[in-house]
C-alpha cells in the first residue's frame, strides 16, 4: 500500500480525485489514515499449497468482479491503477470489461501472477526494475514509488532523541517484523558503540528486551519516515523498502526473506549490492556475530559509509510516484478530457 498511497498523493496534487478498492488487510488502516476513501471487496490470496483454499480464493475473486464493477461505476472512474496484489485482479478485470483504462505497477523484480494475467490488457505497466522480456512499448521503468521525506535529518533526530553527531543503526523488518533479525539483533548490538533503533514489529516486540540505554526498541513507529531520515545504516529485509533506503541514501545490511514469492527479495538485494549500496547476508547465515561484524564494517568506517551512501542515492528514483501518476493521467485522458476519478487497487 505504501507505493499506492505515494502515487495517490501525486495524483491528488495534480487535481485528480482518488479512491481505493481493497480488502481487510493493511489497506483497511493505512488508506483512511492517508485521507482517501476505501471501498472494500471480499477477496483472499490464492494458496499455492492448499487446493481447497486456492479454489475458494478463485471463487471469491470471480464474485468480486461484479462488486468491483459497481464500485467503478459509482465512483465514475476514468482510470484504474492496479498495484499487483490479489485485490487488483478482480478490479483490473472489471476495468477491462467496462473499458476503463488500466495501468499496472510492479514493485518487485518479477511480474506477479495478477500482473502477468492483466498485462496484455493494460495501457501501461510501470516497473520498479528493468525486467528481461518486458521492454516493449507497454512497459516503462519508473522505479518503485516511495513516500515523500517527512523530516530533515536534524528534525528527525531531535524527535527520536538522537544526538546530531551520533551514528544510528536502524533495524526493521516490516509491520510484523522479521523474526531472524529480531532474534539476533539484541545480542548482536548489546555492546555497540553507537545508537540502535530497532523497530521489531507487532508480533515479536513484546518478547524482546533492549540490552542497554543505547538501544531503542519499539514495536512500530509512525511515521516510519522519521527513522529513515535519522539513520546512518539499516539492517533489514530486502522488500520494497530498499527503494526507501535508496531515497534516503542509507547503506544497508540486507537479509532477504528466503520464502518470498519468486525469491524476489534475493534479486532486490543483489540489485542494491551490485549498485554498491548494500552487503547481503543469507537468512540461514545470520548470527549475532555476523550481523555485528557486517554492520560495524560500514558504520564505523567513515570512508566506506560515505561511499555506500552516495551509491544508494544514485539508485534512488525520487520521481517514481510522479512518473506513475503521469501514466495514469495520460490513460485517463483517453476516456475524458478532465479525469473525474482514479481507482486504486492493491
Amino acid at each position: 500500500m505504501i507505493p499506492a498511497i505515494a502515487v495517490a498523493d501525486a495524483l491528488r496534487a495534480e487535481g485528480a480525485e482518488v479512491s481505493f478498492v481493497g480488502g481487510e488487510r493493511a489497506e483497511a488502516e493505512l488508506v483512511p489514515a492517508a485521507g482517501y476513501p476505501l471501498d472494500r471487496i471480499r477477496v483472499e490470496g490464492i494458496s499455492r499449497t492448499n487446493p481447497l483454499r486456492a479454489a475458494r480464493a478463485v471463487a471469491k475473486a470471480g464474485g468480486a468482479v461484479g462488486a468491483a464493477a459497481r464500485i467503478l461505476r459509482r465512483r465514475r472512474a476514468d482510470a484504474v491503477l492496479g498495484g499487483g496484489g490479489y485485490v487488483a485482479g478482480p478490479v483490473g478485470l472489471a476495468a477491462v470489461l467496462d473499458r476503463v483504462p488500466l495501468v499496472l505497477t510492479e514493485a518487485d523484480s518479477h511480474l506477479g501472477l495478477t500482473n502477468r494475467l492483466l498485462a496484455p490488457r493494460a495501457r501501461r505497466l510501470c516497473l520498479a526494475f528493468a525486467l528481461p522480456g518486458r521492454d516493449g512499448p507497454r512497459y516503462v521503468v519508473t522505479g518503485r514509488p516511495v513516500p515523500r521525506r517527512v523530516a530533515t535529518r536534524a528534525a528527525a533526530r531531535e524527535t527520536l532523541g538522537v544526538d546530531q553527531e551520533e551514528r544510528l543503526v536502524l533495524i526493521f523488518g516490516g509491520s510484523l517484523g522479521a523474526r531472524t533479525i529480531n532474534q539476533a539483533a539484541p545480542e548482536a548490538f548489546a555492546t555497540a558503540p553507537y545508537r540502535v533503533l530497532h523497530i521489531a514489529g507487532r508480533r515479536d516486540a513484546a518478547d524482546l528486551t533492549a540490552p542497554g540505554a543505547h538501544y531503542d526498541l519499539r514495536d512500530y513507529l509512525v511515521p516510519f519516515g522519521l527513522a529513515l531520515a535519522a539513520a546512518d545504516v539499516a539492517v533489514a529485509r530486502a522488500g520494497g523498502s530498499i527503494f526507501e533506503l535508496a531515497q534516503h541514501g542509507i547503506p544497508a545490511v540486507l537479509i532477504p526473506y528466503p520464502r518470498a514469492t519468486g525469491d524476489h527479495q534475493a534479486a532486490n538485494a543483489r540489485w542494491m549490492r551490485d549498485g554498491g549500496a548494500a552487503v547481503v547476508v543469507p537468512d540461514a547465515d545470520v548470527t549475532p556475530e555476523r550481523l555485528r561484524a557486517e554492520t560495524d564494517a560500514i558504520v564505523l568506517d567513515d570512508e566506506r559509509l560515505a561511499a555506500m551512501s552516495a551509491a544508494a542515492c544514485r539508485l534512488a528514483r525520487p520521481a517514481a510516484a510522479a512518473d506513475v501518476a503521469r501514466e495514469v493521467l495520460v490513460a485517463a485522458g483517453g476516456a475524458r478530457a478532465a479525469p473525474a476519478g482514479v481507482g486504486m487497487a492493491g
Side-chain angles (χ1 to χ4, degrees), residues 190-281:
T191 60
Y194 40 77
R195 290 288 297 274
V196 176
L197 174 58
H198 183 173
I199 312 298
R202 292 165 177 161
R203 179 188 58 199
D204 295 342
D207 298 326
L208 302 176
T209 301
H214 70 292
Y215 199 102
D216 186 353
L217 175 64
R218 308 188 186 201
D219 61 345
Y220 209 59
L221 177 66
V222 178
F224 184 71
L226 286 173
L228 295 168
D232 293 297
V233 175
V235 177
R237 289 298 195 194
S241 61
I242 62 170
F243 280 94
E244 294 181 76
L245 295 176
Q247 182 197 32
H248 287 82
I250 302 174
V253 177
L254 298 178
I255 300 98
Y257 180 56
R259 290 182 289 279
T261 304
D263 201 24
H264 70 267
Q265 288 206 10
N268 292 354
R270 286 193 298 271
W271 174 78
M272 201 164 180
R273 180 198 63 196
D274 294 347
V279 296
V280 180
V281 179

